[in-house]
Amino acid sequence: MLGFTPFKRHPNKFNYIPRYYDPEKEAREQRRAELRGERAEDADREYQPGQYIRTQREARDARRSNEEERGRIRVLKMAAGAVLVLLFIYLLYPKLADVFLRARTAPATETQQVGEEEFNPYAPIRVVPNDYEE
């Protein structure tokens, strides 16, 4: 206990050498400093009251206007898509439906024989007697 004293003359020192250098982290910190209004050239200048608030407000306004513009473009794209779908339904769908109906009914009329009648489910049933005897 002779060497222990709660009052130290100097703090403990650690010999810490960072292993990795992260240039992305440094670039990120530099961008954040620029957004806060700090620049390398401004390091020696004094702080002006409100400069951080002003810089943040300008960045926020720019981001919001950019988001609003993207929203307007998205709405215009959706409206153009809806107009194209409506034009397709109005102009092309009846023609396509007609082509498919003609294609479906045309082979049936060619394969019918002359002596056969068309099938009518509501026509009376014709009873044919048996020709064979037991």
Side-chain angles (χ1 to χ4, degrees):
M1 287 275 205
L2 293 175
F4 175 74
T5 174
F7 306 106
K8 295 185 178 185
R9 295 183 184 164
H10 55 80
N12 289 338
K13 295 181 181 176
F14 298 99
N15 191 10
Y16 174 71
I17 300 171
R19 265 189 206 177
Y20 302 106
Y21 170 69
D22 191 5
E24 292 177 6
K25 181 179 179 184
E26 204 165 285
R28 225 179 6 250
E29 288 175 358
Q30 183 179 1
R31 284 193 302 268
R32 286 181 182 155
E34 288 176 1
L35 287 175
R36 286 193 303 260
E38 302 168 359
R39 290 183 291 189
E41 304 91 44
D42 296 340
D44 55 341
R45 290 177 38 188
E46 260 187 57
Y47 170 74
Q48 296 175 356
Q51 78 180 16
Y52 298 142
I53 296 171
R54 194 172 21 258
T55 306
Q56 289 175 353
R57 186 186 64 227
E58 290 169 358
R60 185 176 55 242
D61 290 343
R63 186 177 60 246
R64 283 182 181 168
S65 67
N66 193 10
E67 288 174 358
E68 287 175 2
E69 184 65 26
R70 278 190 271 144
R72 281 190 212 110
I73 290 173
R74 186 179 301 133
V75 168
L76 289 175
K77 285 181 183 178
M78 290 171 57
V83 166
L84 287 175
V85 167
L86 290 174
L87 279 174
F88 173 76
I89 291 172
Y90 182 72
L91 297 175
L92 296 178
Y93 182 73
K95 293 178 183 178
L96 287 175
D98 187 42
V99 167
F100 283 115
L101 286 175
R102 285 185 186 176
R104 189 176 68 185
T105 57
T109 57
E110 293 173 4
T111 58
Q112 283 183 349
Q113 295 178 0
V114 178
E116 292 184 13
E117 299 176 4
E118 285 190 28
F119 175 71
N120 184 1
Y122 300 107
I125 299 175
R126 191 180 319 161
V127 179
V128 180
N130 274 340
D131 290 342
Y132 63 92
E133 292 182 18
E134 286 187 27

